[in-house]
Amino acid sequence: MSMAAKPFASSADLGVKERTLEVLADGVYALTAEGDPNLGAIEGEDFLVCFEALATPVAARRWLAELRTHTDKPVRYLVLSHYHAVRVLGASAFDAEVVVSSEQTQRLIAERGQQDWESEYGRMPRLFEEPESIPGLTWPTMTFRDKLTISLGGDRGELVLEHVGRGHTEGDIVAWLPKSKVLFAGDLVESQAALYTGDAFHFDWAAGTLDRVAAFGAEQLVGGRGAIARGRAEVDAAIEQTRAFLTTMHDTVGTAHRAGGTLKDAFEATHAALAPKFGHWPIFEHCLPFDVSRLWDEFSGIERPVIWTAERDRQVWEELQS
């Protein structure tokens, strides 16, 4: 008797996740939710900077309601670390004066934002709470290429937004608070959560990009998913766990590719190599087929990620996870 096919991506993940709002420093907040996307907020003297937006305005308003138990300052800046739908489509709920992203992210929204919306809705329906509340694609109103510094006013110091290299996508940015040494790393780092690399540049990410993340010397790090890393040891461990996931993929996929194997061969070898350490972490089974497919393309000389559509998602899943 054959094994039953695995449910597609996260379509069967319908359980409610416990949400935790944590105060990391004076006026610095993070919301985690057992492997669901993390968010952040930073108080300026008379305004807020919010980091990430969730998948729908309804979901975002639930986060804002929790944040409002700590501060009633208006949202001046909403910062989007990258273009993925579960990070950006809830933006309208923030009523932000300015929506900030990298120039690269703005181009990706134009190139593939609609397809990504349809893809992620199929993969992770639970995150799209009341999807009819989404008014359309989220467009930044301010972009930068390398670095943007926001003065927080008073004695609150500054917030540095920086594109540190290609990684999870072409356009990822991090948010760095030098005064409190807190880094919001987006999906460039995951702490105790699996990596999604379907739109990644694996070789850049595992080398120079993560080196630049480490160079901030953060004492607290909020990754895209998973627990907050507290203290230099935990921060370094989160960065190196992310690097280890990537380099293990490099080794296994590269070996299969050089040997003339198939994508399925590469997937099975990578699953076997990663599962003992990472297999119990959130969205591991969901991510891995898409991760291996993208890395296989890189080894095949395909520089930029092929656009994921709902149809392509199902094809890759059927080939590798059924």
Side-chain angles (χ1 to χ4, degrees):
M1 182 176 175
S2 63
M3 293 178 61
K6 293 177 180 176
F8 174 64
S10 291
S11 60
D13 178 9
L14 303 176
V16 175
K17 308 298 183 185
E18 182 179 352
R19 299 153 60 94
T20 305
L21 190 153
E22 300 184 52
V23 181
L24 308 184
D26 180 31
V28 182
Y29 309 96
L31 186 78
T32 61
E34 297 186 298
D36 277 359
N38 294 338
L39 302 100
I42 301 103
E43 288 189 49
E45 186 175 22
D46 57 1
F47 64 90
L48 280 172
V49 182
C50 288
F51 189 76
E52 311 288 38
L54 293 178
T56 70
V58 168
R61 286 188 194 104
R62 292 178 60 235
W63 147 237
L64 285 166
E66 295 183 54
L67 183 62
R68 290 308 182 199
T69 65
H70 292 268
T71 175
D72 60 1
K73 294 175 182 176
V75 179
R76 182 174 297 172
Y77 299 95
L78 172 63
V79 178
L80 308 175
S81 70
H82 62 288
Y83 79 97
H84 284 150
V86 296
R87 304 288 181 180
V88 305
L89 292 180
S92 62
F94 291 80
D95 197 25
E97 293 180 30
V98 183
V99 179
V100 186
S101 81
S102 66
E103 292 176 8
Q104 301 89 320
T105 286
Q106 184 181 47
R107 289 197 297 269
L108 289 167
I109 293 169
E111 178 187 51
R112 58 185 70 196
Q114 185 65 41
Q115 296 96 321
D116 181 71
W117 178 353
E118 295 163 4
S119 164
E120 295 202 14
Y121 180 53
R123 293 188 196 181
M124 297 173 279
R126 180 179 53 77
L127 298 183
F128 286 79
E129 185 179 353
E130 297 189 34
E132 65 278 3
S133 67
I134 302 169
L137 291 174
T138 296
W139 294 98
T141 60
M142 176 186 289
T143 63
F144 65 95
R145 177 150 192 89
D146 298 312
K147 183 183 291 188
L148 175 69
T149 299
I150 296 171
S151 173
L152 297 174
D155 61 355
R156 291 186 174 273
E158 61 186 22
L159 175 69
V160 180
L161 307 178
E162 188 166 348
H163 174 62
V164 293
R166 301 188 304 182
H168 175 71
T169 72
E170 279 177 287
D172 303 83
I173 60 177
V174 301
W176 168 237
L177 286 159
K179 183 175 180 180
S180 56
K181 297 191 180 302
V182 175
L183 183 69
F184 293 90
D187 280 324
L188 286 173
V189 178
E190 310 291 7
S191 179
Q192 302 172 39
L195 274 62
Y196 174 68
T197 72
D199 295 303
F201 293 78
H202 290 80
F203 304 105
D204 289 5
W205 188 0
T209 299
L210 281 180
D211 288 345
R212 286 185 282 276
V213 171
F216 285 101
E219 294 180 1
Q220 295 186 85
L221 183 148
V222 183
R225 294 173 183 261
I228 296 167
R230 298 179 181 274
R232 286 298 300 276
E234 285 191 10
V235 170
D236 290 346
I239 294 168
E240 293 312 312
Q241 168 241 296
T242 301
R243 198 191 309 267
F245 195 107
L246 293 166
T247 56
T248 300
M249 288 181 61
H250 294 173
D251 293 343
T252 53
V253 175
T255 296
H257 196 276
R258 288 188 294 271
T262 65
L263 178 61
K264 179 78 167 179
D265 294 332
F267 173 76
E268 290 177 348
T270 304
H271 192 287
L274 288 172
K277 183 174 181 179
F278 302 105
H280 64 288
W281 283 354
I283 68 171
F284 175 80
E285 295 292 346
H286 168 165
C287 293
L288 202 61
F290 310 115
D291 295 356
V292 172
S293 179
R294 167 56 186 155
L295 183 52
W296 184 266
D297 282 352
E298 283 193 281
F299 276 111
S300 301
I302 298 172
E303 170 69 8
R304 298 186 70 242
V306 178
I307 294 174
W308 291 102
T309 63
E311 180 182 21
R312 181 171 176 240
D313 289 352
R314 295 279 181 173
Q315 290 171 344
V316 169
W317 187 269
E318 179 68 24
E319 180 180 357
L320 299 183
Q321 278 283 45
S322 295

